[in-house]
Amino acid sequence: MQRWIILTALTTALSSLAVPAGADPGPDQPTTSVSIDGARIDQKIPGKVRVDVTYACGVAAEARSLTVTVEQQDPEDAATKAFGSTRTAETDIQCDGTEQHRQLIVPSKTSNWIPDVDAVLTATVSNLGSAPPASADARRIRLVTAAATD
């Protein structure tokens, strides 16, 4: 429950940073955006999920980050939740106004991920020198085990 409250507070805080609807970030400032493209459990290590993310952010001298969290409840035991998050180093985020594709590995801090069960994923990219300075995407995705070629 506490994690859900934290995620809700994060989403609310990020939406307050967004540029108002209809506002133009300007021709020289690309918008900050992020999208979760998919997720799958690592075949060899079931405690890790591979999350595909697409993001874009403008050039900035200020702080930037990409964070992904995954939360999954065990359908047979309501008290058991797998939860994990990862944050990339600022130097690993390429902010040049072009669309970037990344695969992030999210380890569970509590238990292994369960195949064929829904999980809630949240991705956040922040680029404090851009407009809007942050963007988030949240999705419910059924986790499947990755193929041997992934």
Side-chain angles (χ1 to χ4, degrees), residues 54-107:
T54 300
Y55 72 92
C57 50
V59 178
E62 297 184 46
R64 55 188 177 261
S65 70
L66 175 62
T67 305
V68 175
T69 62
V70 181
E71 183 174 343
Q72 182 187 53
Q73 183 171 336
D74 186 333
E76 296 177 11
D77 181 5
T80 302
K81 289 187 191 240
F83 178 82
S85 66
T86 189
R87 180 182 178 274
T88 59
E90 184 175 330
T91 55
D92 290 340
I93 301 298
Q94 185 174 346
C95 286
D96 60 6
T98 62
E99 193 171 86
Q100 304 293 320
H101 303 281
R102 295 283 306 265
Q103 184 178 87
L104 289 93
I105 306 296
V106 180

